[in-house]
Amino acid sequence: MNSDIPRSRLADVALRQRAEATGLALQHSIDALLGQLARAGARDQKGLQAVLKLSQSAVSRLMTSTRSSDPLATLFAIPGQEALRQMLKGAAQHGATSDAIARVDEAISGFERFIDVDMGDRATLEAVLSDWAQESRATFELRHKTAAFKSVSALRGVQAQLVLNTGILYPSATNPTYHDCIGIDALLGCRRTRPSGVLRVCSSSMAADGAHFTASGIGGQAVHNMADMLLPQYSTISTDEIEVASHGHIVETAVSGLPLGRADGHGGDLVFAMLYRNLHRARRGSGGPTSGLGGQAEPPSEAYIVDALLHEDVWPGVVPEVRLYDTVVRGIAHPDDPARVGDRLDMLESVQFLGRGPAAFRMPEFPQYSELIRHVCETQGWDAERLRGYRCKVRYPIYGSQIGLAFTLPV
C-alpha cells in the first residue's frame, strides 16, 4: 500500500471499483435477458411493458441502463429493486431461460447488497454517482432542486414562476473609468401556495454615504423603497398592495394579496428598475480583478435568470463565468473575496451568448422583455441595438443561493 495516498482516497477507489463491478453485472445480465425476450417477440418498449408488467418509466430506465457503456451510468439509470424483481417474474413467464434468469437474479442480489452495505440507501448512491458519472449529474441535480423547490414553496407559502435579474451596462458619459448600469429586477407569476402566504423581498439601502456611484429611479427620481422603483406598465401588482418597512439599512417589501393557487392562470408580476451612475469599473486599475452582477434566489421559483446586456465598448471580448454561492452563513459574496471560495456551489449551470439587440434577448416566460429593454434604454438615450447579451438560466434554483455572472476586467 502506498503510504503517500490518504486512506480515505484508497477507500473511495475501492468503493468505486465495487460500484463498477455491480453495474457491469447488471448491464451484461439484463442485456442478455432482454435479447432473449426480443427474440421471443418483445422487441420494443410497448412489447416489454406488456411482457414484464412494468410502467413505461421503468421500462425506459431499464433500456437506458443497458445501453450505456459506463457501468456507473447503468447504476444511476437502473430502476428500483421492486421493478427489477417484477422484471424477473415477467421474463420467466415469457421464454427467458433459467440460466439467464439466474444470472440476473444474482446481479440484482449484488445490487441490493451494495446499496444496503456500502451506500445505506438509494438516495446516497445517486448522490455519489452524480460525481462519478457525469451524464447522471444533470438529472440528479434537477431532481433534487425540484424537490427542494416544492418543499420550500410549501413552507414559505409563496412561489414565483420566474425571478429575473438584468444588468444593462453602458459607458459612463461623465467618467471613462466607470460604466453606468440599469438594473432590472422582476418577480413574475407570483402566487400563494397557502392562504397565509406573504411574499417578502429584502434589499439593502441603495447607496451608502461616500459611495463612488449614485442610485436613482430610471427617471432620475429619488428612491426610498422598492415601490419607488416599480414599473407599473409591466407589473400587475400595484403600489397599493405593497407594504414597505425599513430595518436599519435593510428594506423589506411585503405583498400579502397574491393569487392563491393557479385559478387565475399566470399570477402576479412585479418589475422594478434602477439607474446606477458610475457603478462598474471599466478596467482593473487598483481594484480586484473581477466585476459582475447577479442576485439571490428568492422567493422560491421555478426558474432564475441573470442577464448581462453590455454595450459593445463595455469589457469587449470578455466572456462571463457563472458563479453560485451558498449565502446561508456569510450572506452575499463578492467574486474577488478569497474567503468565499469555499462557499462556491459546484453545479452544472452555464452561460449562453444571446446575440445582439433586444430581438435576440427574447424570453418566452416574459413576452414583453424585449420591449422593456428598449424602453429603459430610451429613458437614458442609450442605443439598445448596440448591446450584446449573456444569460444564465437556472431551473429550480436553490432557495437563497447567490447566482451571478462574473467578468474578468481588462487591464
Side-chain angles (χ1 to χ4, degrees), residues 45-368:
Q45 185 166 312
K46 287 187 176 180
L48 287 173
Q49 283 180 245
V51 166
L52 302 178
K53 302 295 190 293
L54 290 174
S55 67
Q56 179 181 350
S57 174
V59 171
S60 177
R61 293 185 65 179
L62 195 64
M63 297 174 72
T64 300
S65 66
T66 58
R67 289 171 182 165
S68 175
S69 59
D70 183 356
L72 296 177
T74 295
L75 282 186
F76 187 86
I78 203 81
Q81 293 107 301
E82 186 175 329
L84 292 176
R85 293 296 178 188
Q86 175 58 41
M87 174 192 68
L88 282 183
K89 291 179 183 178
Q93 296 170 1
H94 289 83
T97 64
S98 57
D99 181 60
I101 294 290
R103 286 182 61 199
V104 175
D105 182 59
E106 182 180 356
I108 294 173
S109 297
F111 181 45
E112 291 171 337
R113 285 193 301 272
F114 181 74
I115 289 178
D116 293 341
V117 176
D118 290 291
M119 294 287 106
D121 54 44
R122 183 69 184 264
T124 303
L125 171 63
E126 292 182 352
V128 170
L129 292 174
S130 71
D131 272 6
W132 285 348
Q134 190 66 19
E135 57 266 49
S136 70
R137 181 77 174 272
T139 302
F140 168 82
E141 288 186 2
L142 182 59
R143 184 187 307 163
H144 287 276
K145 289 193 298 180
T146 304
F149 161 75
K150 292 178 180 178
S151 297
V152 177
S153 296
L155 293 171
R156 283 290 308 273
V158 292
Q159 63 177 230
Q161 289 182 345
L162 174 67
V163 176
L164 169 67
N165 183 277
T166 297
I168 305 174
L169 275 66
Y170 220 82
S172 170
T174 60
N175 189 336
T177 62
Y178 284 98
H179 298 313
D180 294 339
C181 176
I182 295 176
I184 298 173
D185 293 286
L187 306 174
L188 305 179
C190 301
R191 65 183 72 255
R192 289 174 293 155
T193 59
R194 297 165 59 184
S196 59
V198 176
L199 173 66
R200 300 184 188 277
V201 180
C202 293
S203 61
S204 60
S205 56
M206 302 310 170
D209 293 339
H212 63 79
F213 66 93
T214 60
S216 68
I218 58 173
Q221 74 274 23
V223 172
H224 302 288
N225 53 58
M226 295 188 77
D228 297 328
M229 302 183 291
L230 189 71
L231 300 181
Q233 64 270 47
Y234 299 99
S235 305
T236 61
I237 298 172
S238 69
T239 54
D240 296 337
E241 301 172 88
I242 299 175
E243 296 181 4
V244 179
S246 296
H247 309 284
H249 69 287
I250 299 296
V251 178
E252 179 185 274
T253 301
V255 182
S256 56
L258 292 172
L260 181 60
R262 294 185 178 270
D264 77 324
H266 178 70
D269 296 340
L270 286 167
V271 181
F272 307 97
M274 280 282 291
L275 172 64
Y276 301 92
R277 295 291 189 189
N278 303 322
L279 179 63
H280 291 276
R281 286 175 292 142
R283 291 171 294 280
R284 188 171 303 184
S286 60
T290 307
S291 187
L293 50 96
Q296 280 187 286
E298 64 169 37
S301 62
E302 297 178 23
Y304 188 103
I305 290 179
V306 179
D307 270 8
L309 311 180
L310 314 181
H311 182 274
E312 57 198 22
D313 294 332
V314 173
W315 307 328
V318 179
V319 176
E321 176 190 358
V322 179
R323 299 278 183 93
L324 281 74
Y325 289 92
D326 182 347
T327 62
V328 171
V329 176
R330 292 188 279 186
I332 292 293
H334 191 283
D336 287 339
D337 186 353
R340 301 304 299 274
V341 172
D343 291 329
R344 289 278 299 273
L345 295 173
D346 182 18
M347 308 288 285
L348 286 182
E349 310 301 351
S350 61
V351 61
Q352 173 190 7
F353 177 64
L354 300 175
R356 300 178 184 276
F361 310 150
R362 292 187 301 272
M363 191 178 296
E365 302 91 342
F366 191 1
Q368 296 174 288

